[in-house]
């Protein structure tokens, strides 16, 4: 995992709980963070990864988590490798819910927002959840 956090363009996808794939409660966790100049690793991506996994353990439950997608890249870049894989997995029906700590991780800029909205309509809808002010909040696309 640390290798992905240490380079711009780094990414990682981990699949979990095969039994939950395609089930109504199945969800994915997406993390994206940039690598600042002169930084050794993406502290933002690491912080969101650990905080999100802790939150999943405490509230959503890890049994329905089917994949964790991590990109170290600009959230304005819609060609991030883990993001592209997440979209493909969503299209295949692996899950219908995506959790991320901050919606800006996939909706930074008009092109990224448009890309996610197009995906929403293409697959017939999905739930995009963030965690704000102590509660899970749906993101409207």
């Amino acid at each position: 995992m640390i290798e992905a956090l240490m380079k711009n363009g780094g990414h990682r996808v981990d699949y979990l709980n095969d039994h939950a794939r395609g089930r109504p409660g199945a969800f994915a966790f997406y993390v994206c963070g940039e690598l600042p100049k002169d930084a050794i690793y993406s502290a933002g991506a690491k912080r969101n990864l650990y905080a999100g996994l802790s939150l999943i353990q405490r509230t959503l439950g890890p049994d329905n988590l089917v994949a964790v997608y991590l990109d170290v890249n600009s959230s304005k870049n819609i060609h991030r490798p883990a993001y592209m894989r997440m979209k493909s997995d969503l299209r295949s029906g692996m899950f219908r819910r995506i959790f991320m700590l901050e919606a800006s991780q996939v909706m930074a800029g008009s092109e990224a927002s448009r890309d996610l909205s197009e995906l929403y309509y293409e697959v017939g809808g999905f739930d995009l959840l963030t965690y704000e002010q102590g509660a899970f909040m749906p993101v409207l696309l």
Side-chain angles (χ1 to χ4, degrees):
M1 178 64 66
I2 194 71
E3 289 178 20
L5 294 170
M6 293 178 69
K7 62 181 178 180
N8 194 27
H11 66 281
R12 182 172 172 140
V13 177
D14 289 295
Y15 292 105
L16 311 151
N17 300 315
D18 289 341
H19 67 277
R21 291 182 182 186
R23 292 190 175 174
F27 71 97
F29 176 41
Y30 181 75
V31 177
C32 183
E34 294 189 24
L35 181 63
K37 288 184 180 183
D38 301 325
I40 297 172
Y41 67 95
S42 175
K46 179 183 174 191
R47 179 181 58 253
N48 284 344
L49 175 66
Y50 287 4
L53 290 173
S54 176
L55 190 59
I56 289 167
Q57 180 69 34
R58 291 189 326 267
T59 58
L60 293 174
D63 292 340
N64 288 320
L65 176 61
V66 297
V68 177
Y69 303 87
L70 169 74
D71 278 310
V72 176
N73 210 313
S74 169
S75 55
K76 292 180 181 178
N77 175 7
I78 63 170
H79 302 290
R80 302 178 304 270
Y83 175 69
M84 298 295 286
R85 176 80 65 85
M86 181 185 71
K87 290 180 5 176
S88 176
D89 291 344
L90 177 66
R91 286 182 184 109
S92 76
M94 192 179 295
F95 50 83
R96 301 304 276 176
R97 296 186 304 158
I98 301 169
F99 167 63
M100 62 190 63
L101 286 179
E102 302 168 3
S104 64
Q105 293 178 6
V106 294
M107 298 182 71
S110 60
E111 185 178 12
S113 294
R114 184 173 47 257
D115 182 66
L116 201 60
S117 293
E118 288 172 1
L119 178 65
Y120 179 86
Y121 290 107
E122 176 187 336
V123 301
F126 58 89
D127 294 326
L128 181 60
L129 303 170
T130 62
Y131 191 78
E132 298 175 21
Q133 300 175 3
F136 287 96
M137 306 294 293
V139 176
L140 302 175
L141 298 172

